[in-house]
Amino acid sequence: MKTKKSKNAVVDTTVLTDALLQPNGKGDSARASLTRYEATLLPTYAIKEFKAGPLHNYVWLHNKVVEAATYGEVLSAIQSNMAYRRYLPSTAMKALANFSSSIAKQTPPEVSQMYPDLTVDEAQLLQLRRWLKQLILRAWRRRTALVTEEISPLPCYTQRAPETRGSGQLETSPKKCGD
Amino acid sequence: MAGASLEFTQPDELWAIPSLSPAMEVPVERDMLTIKDLYADAPGRPQILLKAQAILVAGLERMAAARDYIVGEELLNADYEVTLFQGDLPELFYFSASVEGFSTVVVAIHDALKNRQGKPLDLDQINAIRRCLTALTDRPFMKYDDALDLVDLLETTGLCVNPPESSAVAEILLEDEEVEERGS
C-alpha cells in the first residue's frame, strides 16, 4: 500500500545541514524526511545560514588541515579553538585521534617505504583534506538538489560556491547580505 | 594480475608534470589527457605511471570478475575479488597523492569499501566502482568537478563515501548551536 505524501514542508537550516553534512543516522533521517513531502521549499536564508555556519566550520577544519604539518596539529587546533565549548565530545576527539580507518594505517610497511616523501602523518592529513574538500563542495552543489524548490530569494545575497585559493585553502565569502 | 611485477623508481617521478603541486588544480586544458597521451613516445617514461596503470587495470579486471561472479550467484568469489582490490587501494592513494581529483576518488572508493563492514557489494555498486576506475584510467587529470561527479555516483548506489570518523567530525563541528542554546 502506498503511503500518501504530505503536501509541503519548508526546510530550515538544521534539516539542510543534517541532510548535507551529517553522514549516518541524523543525515539519513533528514534525507528521508525530505522525501515524505510533495514539495520541499528551501528559503535562501537557510542556504545563507548554512554556508555561514555549519559549512564554514567544515571549511575552517579543511583549512587547518591544509596548514598543519602533522595530524596532531589538527587535533590541537580543534581543542584550542573549541575550548569555549563545555561539551566538546571526548569520544569524538578520541575517534579522530585514532583515525583507525586511515589509508596510511592500512598501508603495508613495504608500500609506505616506497614513498619516503609522504610520511604516514602526511598521508593522514592528505586523506582528511581530500575527504573534507569533496564533502564541502558536494554539499554546496547539492544544496538545492535535495529540495523541490528554492523560495524567498535574497536579492542582497550572492550564492557563490566556496573557492579554492592558491594556497589550497577554501574561501567561503560572501557570508552575509551585501558582502 | 597484470603489471604485478612492474617496479617503480623514484616517488618524485609522480606523474612527472612540472606544473603540478598538491595545492593547485590541474589546468583545464589537461583534463582530457590520458597517461598514454602524455607519455606515449617519451623515452624512459616513468615506471610509476605504469605501476598506477597496472593497479587500475588489475582493479578493473577484479571488478569485472566480481560482477560476473555476482551474476553467477557466486557471492563469496565476488567478495574475494573486491577484497583483493581493496588491498591495492592504499598504494594507489600514495602515488596519486598530488593529483587532487584522482586521489579524491581513490579516497572515496577506499572509504566506501571500508564502510561495507564485511557486507558484499551489489551489482550497481560494483558497476559504479568500475566506472570510477575507467575514468581514473582514461582521465587521471580530470577536472575536480568530474571527480565530484564520480563520488556522487558511488553515493547514489548506497555506498557511504565518508570515513567512519566523519560522525566524530560532525559531532565536533555541528553541535555549536545546541551548546550555545544550553549555555544561554
Side-chain angles (χ1 to χ4, degrees):
Chain A
M1 198 174 86
K2 255 189 172 176
T3 312
K4 195 180 175 190
K5 285 189 173 185
S6 304
K7 278 224 160 176
N8 297 342
V10 175
V11 178
D12 67 10
T13 310
T14 306
V15 175
L16 183 68
T17 300
D18 285 351
L20 290 173
L21 292 177
Q22 286 280 5
N24 301 315
K26 271 187 182 175
D28 292 340
S29 303
R31 288 183 286 275
S33 71
L34 293 174
T35 64
R36 287 199 286 270
Y37 296 91
E38 285 178 12
T40 43
L41 314 173
L42 179 65
T44 306
Y45 81 81
I47 294 174
K48 181 170 78 69
E49 288 187 355
F50 166 72
K51 190 181 179 192
L55 193 69
H56 182 71
N57 289 353
Y58 273 82
V59 168
W60 168 79
L61 181 58
H62 172 270
N63 291 348
K64 281 291 171 195
V65 173
V66 170
E67 291 307 314
T70 64
Y71 190 70
E73 239 179 70
V74 175
L75 298 174
S76 293
I78 293 171
Q79 291 278 16
S80 309
N81 287 277
M82 301 275 177
Y84 65 93
R85 287 182 55 185
R86 288 181 297 163
Y87 304 101
L88 188 61
S90 60
T91 48
M93 286 304 296
K94 277 182 195 161
L96 263 192
N98 187 20
F99 198 11
S100 59
S101 72
S102 80
I103 289 175
K105 284 193 178 170
Q106 289 157 28
T107 304
E110 61 270 23
V111 171
S112 53
Q113 281 165 14
M114 291 192 294
Y115 302 89
D117 288 351
L118 192 63
T119 64
V120 168
D121 217 37
E122 287 164 344
Q124 287 196 172
L125 281 174
L126 197 59
Q127 184 186 354
L128 189 58
R129 178 175 163 182
R130 294 289 186 251
W131 167 65
L132 284 168
K133 185 172 178 181
Q134 67 88 352
L135 180 74
I136 291 161
L137 294 184
R138 286 197 315 125
W140 181 257
R141 286 197 331 178
R142 291 182 300 165
R143 69 196 185 283
T144 53
L146 285 173
V147 297
T148 55
E149 194 181 339
E150 188 181 335
I151 59 167
S152 308
L154 294 174
C156 62
Y157 178 67
T158 309
Q159 291 191 45
R160 193 183 305 145
E163 288 173 8
T164 306
R165 307 175 74 205
S167 62
Q169 294 177 330
L170 292 171
E171 167 73 54
T172 53
S173 61
K175 290 198 195 103
K176 54 187 181 185
C177 269
D179 272 2
Chain B
M1 248 326 125
S5 63
L6 285 173
E7 293 178 349
F8 81 104
T9 51
Q10 293 295 317
D12 57 2
E13 289 178 1
L14 175 65
W15 303 116
I17 296 179
S19 63
L20 276 181
S21 82
M24 300 292 287
E25 288 279 1
V26 174
V28 169
E29 62 268 23
R30 280 202 177 138
D31 77 294
M32 294 306 291
L33 289 178
T34 68
I35 291 174
K36 284 178 193 164
D37 293 333
L38 282 169
Y39 293 102
D41 302 317
R45 65 180 178 169
Q47 291 292 305
I48 195 165
L49 293 174
L50 294 175
K51 178 77 177 177
Q53 193 82 335
I55 291 180
L56 287 167
V57 168
L60 276 167
E61 286 172 1
R62 291 204 183 283
M63 298 313 280
R67 177 203 56 199
D68 293 343
Y69 281 129
I70 284 186
V71 170
E73 298 185 353
E74 295 182 58
L75 300 186
L76 194 71
N77 284 330
D79 196 53
Y80 171 80
E81 295 292 339
V82 172
T83 305
L84 286 178
F85 164 65
Q86 189 173 358
D88 289 339
L89 274 171
E91 187 166 3
L92 204 52
F93 171 77
Y94 265 71
F95 60 55
S96 70
S98 68
V99 186
E100 190 174 40
F102 191 111
S103 56
T104 295
V105 177
V106 171
V107 168
I109 295 173
H110 170 269
D111 288 334
L113 294 178
K114 188 77 191 162
N115 285 323
R116 291 184 305 153
Q117 296 181 321
K119 289 182 196 156
L121 296 179
D122 64 29
L123 208 50
D124 285 345
Q125 291 167 339
I126 283 175
N127 285 332
I129 292 175
R130 288 180 67 220
R131 277 183 63 183
C132 289
L133 295 179
T134 302
L136 293 176
T137 308
D138 293 345
R139 295 179 293 123
F141 307 108
M142 66 182 73
K143 288 179 193 167
Y144 190 69
D145 265 356
D146 292 343
L148 296 185
D149 289 342
L150 291 173
V151 179
D152 281 342
L153 173 71
L154 292 170
E155 204 171 56
T156 57
T157 64
L159 289 168
C160 175
V161 295
N162 301 306
E165 290 78 11
S166 58
S167 298
V169 173
E171 199 177 343
I172 290 165
L173 295 179
L174 297 182
E175 303 294 329
D176 286 6
E177 290 76 12
E178 274 177 38
V179 172
E180 279 167 14
E181 278 167 21
R182 278 203 298 268
S184 62

